[in-house]
Amino acid sequence: MIHPKIQDIILKFVKLVVIIAALTYQLLMNSKYFLWILVLLLAACGPDKPSENKSTTQPADTIAAARTLEAVSLLGDSLYAPELPPARKQAYDSALRVAESNYRQDPDNLEHLIWKGRRLAYLSRYQEAIRVFTEAIRKFPDAPDPYRHRGHRYITTRQFDKAIRDLEKSAALAENKPVVIEPDGIPLPLPADHTPSSLQFNIYYHLGLAYYLNGDYGKAAEAYEKCLTYSQQDDDLAAAADWLYMAYRRLGEDEIAEKTLELVKEDMHIQENEGYFERLLMYKGLIEPDSLLKTGSATSPTDRDLAIATQGYGVGNYYLYEGDSARALPVLQDVVDGRYWAAFGYIAAEADLARIKQKGK
């Protein structure tokens, strides 16, 4: 038996020969029956037939492969853009269209490049966002902004070494420069008295996170100490203090970690970082760990996954600090079973589980 693929090749070759012969005959003989001869010869060759080994339906794994792979988790899982609630996606899409329009009008404008990359990232199109920030770095190599944003998205895509290089570069470029307010990018309503964080705060916040996720807790603590100096509001302070506390606990510096908690007051004005604030209150012994894992019945699956990613990692960490791995591991696993894989708590839980798995081998 001839292999079906070889049969297909032979059949196509015969067709080609027949067509060439017929055209040659027409030119030489100018036969009025040329078209009839050509039709009969092609009919004799027959149409292409699918081989018995070919499926007429597209397999599920091929359909999945058609989606853009945004990252591979530290546990080896393929990560694709999660679905957003319709209203949120509509808002993000609209904001991206504006950013793309601005970019088309002036592609060499740093602000337009940054916003196009940020808008793509909010839609979980991280690989595209990284390419845009790379373009911004090529055009503006001395600006700290594109390194800060690309470093952020290298964290999202689990490329911690690259993130550290970018964020260290960003910190060096921003050193001794005036503090620059960095506008919020989420196109959703914010409180009237909301104050955005600064570029410098975000550089050191993400640099500390990259060190932490990479297991370099000493450098993480240094970065978050620096981050605290740029904390202009309670939301900033809560975010920096939370990761700083965890870094010191990982270093075994429990007394310094407890001293960090003295920065946290129950009456702090928290608008965005409630998850970090509640984790800090838990570390202070003011909130029971299990209460942070409860979400309301009206919470959407996406918001539930985000809440569990943030709160769950804090709770899992708490149990690890207490030496209770039997309670810690299920909580960390629940975090990575969610869909909000871009959340920092999710990535941190993933990193811890990967290390624990590696030690167990």
Side-chain angles (χ1 to χ4, degrees), residues 345-360:
Y346 187 114
I347 303 173
E350 191 181 285
D352 284 347
L353 289 173
R355 291 191 190 97
I356 292 169
K357 183 178 179 181
Q358 186 63 34
K359 289 180 181 178

Side-chain angles (χ1 to χ4, degrees), residues 121-143:
Y122 294 140
L123 285 162
S124 300
R125 293 162 63 175
Y126 301 115
Q127 297 301 328
E128 292 179 74
I130 287 172
R131 288 193 289 271
V132 172
F133 295 138
T134 299
E135 179 186 351
I137 288 170
R138 178 176 57 80
K139 293 178 177 179
F140 301 92
D142 296 326

Side-chain angles (χ1 to χ4, degrees), residues 130-261:
I130 287 172
R131 288 193 289 271
V132 172
F133 295 138
T134 299
E135 179 186 351
I137 288 170
R138 178 176 57 80
K139 293 178 177 179
F140 301 92
D142 296 326
D145 313 62
Y147 291 100
R148 166 267 189 269
H149 287 287
R150 190 174 71 170
H152 179 178
R153 293 315 169 186
Y154 276 145
I155 292 174
T156 307
T157 54
R158 281 60 170 172
Q159 301 179 78
F160 304 143
D161 290 336
K162 289 183 178 180
I164 288 170
R165 286 196 294 271
D166 270 6
L167 291 161
E168 286 180 339
K169 178 72 171 180
S170 183
L173 291 170
E175 189 71 20
N176 299 321
K177 290 186 177 180
V179 173
V180 177
I181 296 299
E182 188 176 270
D184 287 303
I186 301 296
L188 295 174
L190 291 170
D193 60 344
H194 172 74
T195 302
S197 301
S198 67
L199 169 66
Q200 285 84 349
F201 171 88
N202 282 311
I203 290 171
Y204 286 103
Y205 177 85
H206 291 92
L207 179 57
L209 179 63
Y211 283 136
Y212 182 96
L213 295 170
N214 226 21
D216 194 338
Y217 304 117
K219 286 189 175 180
E222 290 178 11
Y224 281 120
E225 289 284 7
K226 185 83 170 179
C227 188
L228 279 176
T229 67
Y230 290 107
S231 298
Q232 301 179 7
Q233 54 183 320
D234 286 348
D235 274 291
D236 292 346
L237 191 151
D242 181 79
W243 288 101
L244 179 60
Y245 172 85
M246 291 191 291
Y248 279 134
R249 289 298 302 264
R250 290 298 174 96
L251 289 168
E253 300 284 358
D254 292 356
E255 290 186 10
I256 302 178
E258 291 300 317
K259 193 167 185 63
T260 301
L261 294 180

Side-chain angles (χ1 to χ4, degrees), residues 18-38:
V18 168
I19 292 171
I20 292 172
L23 289 172
T24 303
Y25 177 81
Q26 182 194 32
L27 291 171
L28 294 176
M29 305 299 293
N30 193 25
S31 172
K32 64 180 180 180
Y33 299 108
F34 164 71
L35 291 175
W36 290 106
I37 294 171
L38 181 60

